[in-house]
Amino acid sequence: MALLPILRFPDPRLRKVASPVARVDDSLCRLAADMAETMYEAPGIGLAATQVDVHKRVVVIDVSEGKDDLRVFVNPEIVTCDGLQSGEEGCLSVPGVYDKVERAERVTVRYLDLEGNEQQLEADGLLAICIQHEIDHLDGKVFVDHLSQLKQTRIRTRLAKQARVTA
Ligand code: NI
């Protein structure tokens, strides 16, 4: 397994729309394992392939306390959603920035598992937020896109300053 470098907002590669996975094979399983290792090491609760500059529709999530409930979603698609919730979100690609985003309270997601079998999952709360956040990444969206223009400008300025300090 290997740790993968995570793209930082506003890197334009975060705007690419990921392609569906045609076949779940060994190389895809390796990608998912590397993404999981990268997510745990960061540490974070979710990571989309887009964030490691791989533009395939793959997401890893673990919202458990014990970090022992890894979920891998290949070609995830939200088929139903209802309700509204607003939770504080952060993102490994937007370090140090947290803000409230309005999302659906419950979602049903259809996806392939690592055996290539079609699965369906009903999720609510934090897991539902995380699924919506990660699918946004696959569509080239970042959570700050949901915030006001003023906040987005402040975030860009702050991250540009951080990049100068650490570069
Ligand atoms: Ni994110």
Side-chain angles (χ1 to χ4, degrees):
M1 292 206 288
L3 289 177
L4 306 168
I6 299 174
L7 299 178
R8 295 275 180 101
F9 178 83
D11 192 307
R13 290 170 290 181
L14 287 170
R15 298 302 179 188
K16 289 192 190 176
V17 176
S19 308
V21 171
R23 200 161 53 95
V24 179
D25 56 13
D26 286 354
S27 75
L28 192 88
C29 293
R30 260 196 310 278
L31 170 67
D34 288 346
M35 285 172 59
E37 193 185 2
T38 303
M39 171 184 76
Y40 286 126
E41 208 270 341
I45 59 171
L47 189 71
T50 307
Q51 294 176 272
V52 293
D53 201 22
V54 175
H55 302 280
K56 292 180 188 166
R57 302 189 79 84
V58 183
V59 160
V60 295
I61 291 177
D62 187 344
V63 295
S64 71
E65 291 273 325
K67 299 289 158 215
D68 54 3
D69 187 23
L70 178 66
R71 295 167 188 271
V72 179
F73 300 88
V74 178
N75 298 342
E77 207 179 319
I78 290 172
V79 287
T80 66
C81 59
D82 72 295
L84 278 179
Q85 61 175 328
S86 179
E88 183 117 311
E89 294 187 26
C91 179
L92 294 176
S93 293
V94 197
V97 176
Y98 301 89
D99 214 322
K100 281 199 181 268
V101 176
E102 202 163 85
R103 303 276 189 188
E105 164 63 22
R106 281 171 298 278
V107 297
T108 305
V109 60
R110 200 177 286 159
Y111 62 99
L112 298 178
D113 64 21
L114 287 180
E115 267 90 57
N117 297 318
E118 195 168 296
Q119 301 284 353
Q120 193 161 296
L121 173 77
E122 279 176 41
D124 60 10
L126 182 59
L127 181 57
I129 289 176
C130 203
I131 288 168
Q132 292 170 82
H133 177 121
E134 302 310 333
I135 291 177
D136 265 6
H137 277 302
L138 301 181
D139 292 327
K141 292 183 215 144
V142 182
F143 86 99
V144 298
D145 300 347
H146 295 276
L147 306 178
S148 69
Q149 284 300 325
L150 177 64
K151 280 184 176 174
Q152 290 187 41
T153 305
R154 282 187 187 146
I155 290 165
R156 279 171 194 277
T157 309
R158 194 164 129 201
L159 290 182
K161 270 187 200 149
Q162 275 176 13
R164 276 202 296 277
V165 171
T166 53

